[in-house]
Coordinates of all heavy atoms in Angstrom, one line a residue:
E281 N 41.8 4.2 -37.7 CA 42.1 4.0 -36.3 C 41.8 2.5 -35.9 O 42.6 1.9 -35.2 CB 41.4 5.0 -35.4 CG 41.8 4.7 -33.9 CD 41.7 5.9 -33.0 OE1 41.3 6.9 -33.5 OE2 42.0 5.7 -31.8
D282 N 40.7 2.0 -36.4 CA 40.4 0.6 -36.1 C 41.4 -0.3 -36.6 O 41.9 -1.2 -35.9 CB 39.0 0.3 -36.8 CG 37.9 0.0 -35.8 OD1 38.1 0.4 -34.6 OD2 36.9 -0.5 -36.1
V283 N 41.8 -0.1 -37.9 CA 42.8 -1.0 -38.5 C 44.1 -0.9 -37.8 O 44.8 -1.9 -37.4 CB 43.0 -0.6 -40.0 CG1 44.1 -1.4 -40.6 CG2 41.7 -1.0 -40.8
I284 N 44.6 0.3 -37.4 CA 45.8 0.5 -36.7 C 45.8 -0.2 -35.4 O 46.7 -0.8 -34.9 CB 46.2 2.0 -36.7 CG1 46.6 2.5 -38.0 CG2 47.3 2.2 -35.6 CD1 47.0 4.0 -38.1
R285 N 44.7 0.0 -34.7 CA 44.5 -0.6 -33.4 C 44.6 -2.1 -33.4 O 45.3 -2.8 -32.7 CB 43.1 -0.2 -32.8 CG 42.9 -0.7 -31.3 CD 41.5 -0.2 -30.8 NE 40.4 -0.4 -31.7 CZ 39.8 -1.6 -31.9 NH1 40.3 -2.7 -31.3 NH2 38.8 -1.7 -32.8
V286 N 43.9 -2.7 -34.4 CA 43.9 -4.2 -34.5 C 45.3 -4.7 -34.9 O 45.8 -5.6 -34.3 CB 42.8 -4.6 -35.6 CG1 43.0 -6.1 -35.9 CG2 41.4 -4.3 -35.1
V287 N 45.9 -4.0 -35.9 CA 47.2 -4.5 -36.4 C 48.3 -4.4 -35.3 O 49.1 -5.2 -35.0 CB 47.6 -3.8 -37.7 CG1 49.1 -4.2 -38.1 CG2 46.7 -4.1 -38.8
A288 N 48.2 -3.2 -34.6 CA 49.1 -3.0 -33.5 C 49.0 -4.1 -32.4 O 50.0 -4.6 -31.9 CB 49.0 -1.6 -32.9
A289 N 47.7 -4.4 -32.1 CA 47.5 -5.4 -31.0 C 48.0 -6.8 -31.5 O 48.4 -7.6 -30.6 CB 46.0 -5.5 -30.7
L290 N 48.0 -7.1 -32.8 CA 48.4 -8.4 -33.2 C 49.9 -8.5 -33.4 O 50.5 -9.5 -33.7 CB 47.8 -8.7 -34.6 CG 46.3 -8.9 -34.7 CD1 45.9 -9.1 -36.1 CD2 45.9 -10.2 -33.9
T291 N 50.6 -7.3 -33.3 CA 52.0 -7.2 -33.7 C 52.9 -6.9 -32.4 O 52.8 -5.8 -31.9 CB 52.2 -6.2 -34.8 OG1 51.4 -6.5 -35.9 CG2 53.7 -6.1 -35.2
P292 N 53.7 -7.8 -32.0 CA 54.6 -7.5 -30.8 C 55.7 -6.5 -31.1 O 56.2 -5.9 -30.2 CB 55.1 -8.8 -30.3 CG 55.0 -9.7 -31.5 CD 53.8 -9.2 -32.4
G293 N 56.2 -6.5 -32.3 CA 57.3 -5.7 -32.7 C 57.0 -4.2 -32.6 O 55.9 -3.8 -32.4
P294 N 58.1 -3.4 -32.6 CA 57.9 -1.9 -32.3 C 57.4 -1.1 -33.5 O 57.0 0.1 -33.3 CB 59.3 -1.5 -32.0 CG 60.2 -2.4 -32.7 CD 59.5 -3.7 -32.7
Y295 N 57.3 -1.7 -34.7 CA 57.0 -0.8 -35.9 C 55.6 -1.1 -36.5 O 55.2 -2.3 -36.5 CB 58.1 -1.1 -36.9 CG 59.5 -0.9 -36.5 CD1 60.4 -2.0 -36.4 CD2 59.9 0.4 -36.0 CE1 61.7 -1.8 -36.0 CE2 61.2 0.5 -35.6 CZ 62.1 -0.6 -35.6 OH 63.4 -0.4 -35.1
L296 N 55.1 -0.1 -37.1 CA 53.9 -0.2 -37.9 C 54.1 0.7 -39.1 O 54.3 1.9 -39.0 CB 52.6 0.2 -37.1 CG 51.3 -0.4 -37.7 CD1 50.3 -0.5 -36.5 CD2 50.7 0.5 -38.8
H297 N 54.1 0.1 -40.3 CA 54.3 0.8 -41.5 C 53.0 1.3 -42.1 O 52.1 0.5 -42.3 CB 55.0 -0.1 -42.5 CG 55.8 0.5 -43.6 ND1 55.3 1.5 -44.5 CD2 57.1 0.4 -44.0 CE1 56.2 1.9 -45.3 NE2 57.3 1.2 -45.1
I298 N 52.9 2.6 -42.3 CA 51.7 3.2 -42.8 C 51.7 3.5 -44.3 O 50.8 4.2 -44.8 CB 51.2 4.4 -42.0 CG1 52.4 5.5 -41.9 CG2 50.9 4.0 -40.5 CD1 52.4 6.4 -43.1
G299 N 52.7 3.1 -45.0 CA 52.8 3.3 -46.5 C 53.0 4.8 -46.8 O 54.1 5.3 -46.5
G300 N 52.1 5.5 -47.3 CA 52.3 6.9 -47.7 C 52.9 7.2 -49.0 O 53.1 8.3 -49.4
D301 N 53.1 6.1 -49.8 CA 53.8 6.3 -51.1 C 52.8 6.6 -52.2 O 51.6 6.2 -52.1 CB 54.6 5.0 -51.5 CG 53.7 3.8 -51.5 OD1 52.9 3.6 -50.6 OD2 53.8 3.0 -52.5
E302 N 53.3 7.2 -53.2 CA 52.6 7.4 -54.5 C 51.1 7.7 -54.4 O 50.3 7.2 -55.1 CB 52.7 6.0 -55.3 CG 54.1 5.6 -55.6 CD 54.2 4.2 -56.3 OE1 53.4 3.3 -55.9 OE2 55.0 4.1 -57.1
A303 N 50.8 8.6 -53.5 CA 49.5 9.1 -53.3 C 49.2 10.2 -54.4 O 48.9 11.3 -54.0 CB 49.2 9.6 -51.9
L304 N 49.2 9.8 -55.6 CA 49.2 10.7 -56.7 C 47.8 11.3 -56.9 O 47.7 12.3 -57.6 CB 49.7 10.1 -58.0 CG 51.1 9.4 -57.9 CD1 51.5 8.7 -59.2 CD2 52.2 10.3 -57.4
N305 N 46.8 10.6 -56.4 CA 45.5 11.1 -56.5 C 45.0 11.8 -55.2 O 43.8 11.8 -55.0 CB 44.6 10.0 -57.0 CG 43.3 10.5 -57.7 OD1 43.3 11.6 -58.1 ND2 42.3 9.6 -57.8
T306 N 45.9 12.2 -54.4 CA 45.6 12.9 -53.1 C 46.2 14.3 -53.3 O 47.4 14.3 -53.6 CB 46.2 12.2 -51.9 OG1 45.9 10.8 -52.0 CG2 45.6 12.7 -50.6
T307 N 45.5 15.4 -53.0 CA 46.2 16.7 -53.1 C 47.2 16.8 -52.0 O 47.1 16.1 -51.0 CB 45.2 17.8 -53.0 OG1 44.6 17.8 -51.6 CG2 44.0 17.7 -54.0
A308 N 48.2 17.7 -52.2 CA 49.2 17.9 -51.2 C 48.6 18.3 -49.8 O 49.0 17.8 -48.8 CB 50.2 18.9 -51.6
E309 N 47.6 19.1 -49.9 CA 46.9 19.5 -48.7 C 46.2 18.3 -48.0 O 46.3 18.2 -46.8 CB 45.9 20.6 -49.0 CG 45.4 21.4 -47.8 CD 44.2 22.3 -48.1 OE1 44.1 22.7 -49.3 OE2 43.4 22.5 -47.2
D310 N 45.5 17.5 -48.8 CA 44.8 16.4 -48.2 C 45.8 15.4 -47.6 O 45.5 14.7 -46.6 CB 43.9 15.7 -49.3 CG 42.6 16.4 -49.5 OD1 42.3 17.4 -48.7 OD2 41.8 16.0 -50.4
Y311 N 46.9 15.2 -48.3 CA 47.9 14.3 -47.9 C 48.4 14.7 -46.5 O 48.6 13.9 -45.6 CB 49.1 14.3 -48.9 CG 50.2 13.2 -48.6 CD1 50.0 11.9 -49.0 CD2 51.4 13.6 -48.0 CE1 51.0 11.0 -48.7 CE2 52.4 12.7 -47.8 CZ 52.2 11.4 -48.2 OH 53.2 10.5 -47.9
R312 N 48.7 16.0 -46.4 CA 49.2 16.5 -45.1 C 48.1 16.4 -44.0 O 48.4 15.9 -42.9 CB 49.6 18.0 -45.3 CG 50.2 18.6 -44.1 CD 50.9 19.9 -44.4 NE 52.0 19.8 -45.3 CZ 52.1 20.4 -46.5 NH1 51.2 21.3 -46.8 NH2 53.2 20.2 -47.2
T313 N 46.9 16.7 -44.3 CA 45.8 16.6 -43.4 C 45.7 15.2 -42.9 O 45.6 14.9 -41.7 CB 44.4 17.0 -44.1 OG1 44.5 18.3 -44.5 CG2 43.2 16.9 -43.1
F314 N 45.7 14.2 -43.9 CA 45.5 12.8 -43.5 C 46.6 12.3 -42.6 O 46.4 11.8 -41.6 CB 45.5 12.0 -44.8 CG 45.3 10.5 -44.6 CD1 44.1 10.0 -44.4 CD2 46.5 9.7 -44.6 CE1 44.0 8.6 -44.2 CE2 46.3 8.3 -44.4 CZ 45.1 7.8 -44.2
L315 N 47.9 12.5 -43.1 CA 49.0 12.0 -42.3 C 49.2 12.6 -41.0 O 49.6 12.0 -40.0 CB 50.3 12.0 -43.1 CG 50.4 10.9 -44.2 CD1 51.8 10.9 -44.8 CD2 50.2 9.5 -43.5
T316 N 48.9 13.9 -40.9 CA 49.0 14.6 -39.6 C 48.1 14.0 -38.6 O 48.4 14.0 -37.4 CB 48.8 16.1 -39.8 OG1 49.7 16.6 -40.8 CG2 49.0 16.9 -38.5
R317 N 47.0 13.5 -39.1 CA 46.0 12.9 -38.1 C 46.4 11.4 -37.9 O 46.2 10.9 -36.8 CB 44.6 12.9 -38.7 CG 43.7 13.7 -37.8 CD 42.4 13.9 -38.3 NE 41.4 13.1 -37.5 CZ 40.1 13.2 -37.6 NH1 39.6 14.1 -38.5 NH2 39.3 12.5 -36.9
V318 N 46.9 10.7 -38.9 CA 47.1 9.3 -38.8 C 48.4 8.9 -38.2 O 48.5 7.9 -37.4 CB 46.9 8.7 -40.3 CG1 47.4 7.2 -40.3 CG2 45.5 8.7 -40.7
L319 N 49.5 9.6 -38.5 CA 50.8 9.2 -37.9 C 50.8 9.1 -36.4 O 51.3 8.1 -35.9 CB 51.9 10.2 -38.4 CG 52.4 9.9 -39.8 CD1 53.3 11.1 -40.3 CD2 53.1 8.6 -39.9
P320 N 50.1 10.0 -35.7 CA 50.1 9.9 -34.2 C 49.4 8.6 -33.7 O 49.6 8.2 -32.6 CB 49.5 11.2 -33.7 CG 49.6 12.1 -34.8 CD 49.6 11.3 -36.1
L321 N 48.5 8.1 -34.6 CA 47.8 6.9 -34.2 C 48.7 5.7 -33.9 O 48.4 4.8 -33.1 CB 46.7 6.5 -35.2 CG 45.6 7.6 -35.4 CD1 44.6 7.1 -36.5 CD2 44.8 7.7 -34.0
A322 N 49.8 5.6 -34.7 CA 50.7 4.5 -34.4 C 51.2 4.6 -33.0 O 51.2 3.7 -32.3 CB 51.9 4.6 -35.5
G323 N 51.6 5.9 -32.6 CA 52.1 6.1 -31.3 C 51.1 5.8 -30.2 O 51.3 5.2 -29.2
K324 N 49.8 6.2 -30.5 CA 48.7 6.0 -29.6 C 48.6 4.5 -29.3 O 48.2 4.1 -28.1 CB 47.4 6.5 -30.2 CG 46.2 6.3 -29.3 CD 45.0 7.0 -29.9 CE 43.7 6.7 -29.1 NZ 42.5 7.2 -29.7
Y325 N 48.9 3.6 -30.2 CA 48.8 2.2 -30.0 C 50.1 1.5 -29.8 O 50.3 0.3 -30.0 CB 47.9 1.5 -31.1 CG 46.5 2.0 -31.1 CD1 46.1 3.0 -31.9 CD2 45.6 1.6 -30.1 CE1 44.8 3.5 -31.8 CE2 44.4 2.1 -29.9 CZ 43.9 3.0 -30.8 OH 42.6 3.5 -30.7
G326 N 51.1 2.3 -29.4 CA 52.4 1.8 -28.9 C 53.4 1.5 -30.0 O 54.4 0.8 -29.7
K327 N 53.2 2.0 -31.2 CA 54.2 1.7 -32.3 C 54.9 2.9 -32.8 O 54.4 4.0 -32.8 CB 53.4 1.0 -33.4 CG 52.6 -0.3 -33.0 CD 53.6 -1.4 -32.5 CE 52.8 -2.5 -32.0 NZ 53.6 -3.5 -31.2
R328 N 56.1 2.6 -33.4 CA 56.8 3.7 -34.1 C 56.3 3.5 -35.6 O 56.3 2.4 -36.1 CB 58.3 3.4 -34.1 CG 59.0 3.8 -32.9 CD 60.5 3.6 -33.0 NE 61.1 4.6 -33.8 CZ 62.5 4.6 -33.9 NH1 63.2 3.7 -33.4 NH2 63.0 5.6 -34.6
A329 N 55.9 4.7 -36.2 CA 55.5 4.6 -37.6 C 56.7 4.6 -38.5 O 57.6 5.4 -38.3 CB 54.6 5.8 -37.9

Side-chain angles (χ1 to χ4, degrees):
E281 179 157 359
D282 246 15
V283 171
I284 288 179
R285 182 178 51 75
V286 169
V287 176
L290 292 173
T291 306
Y295 306 115
L296 202 153
H297 201 305
I298 54 81
D301 59 314
E302 299 174 320
L304 308 177
N305 203 16
T306 313
T307 66
E309 193 192 335
D310 280 354
Y311 186 81
R312 186 166 296 124
T313 302
F314 178 82
L315 279 186
T316 304
R317 243 177 111 170
V318 166
L319 281 169
L321 294 175
K324 178 173 175 184
Y325 294 102
K327 301 298 172 193
R328 281 181 80 176

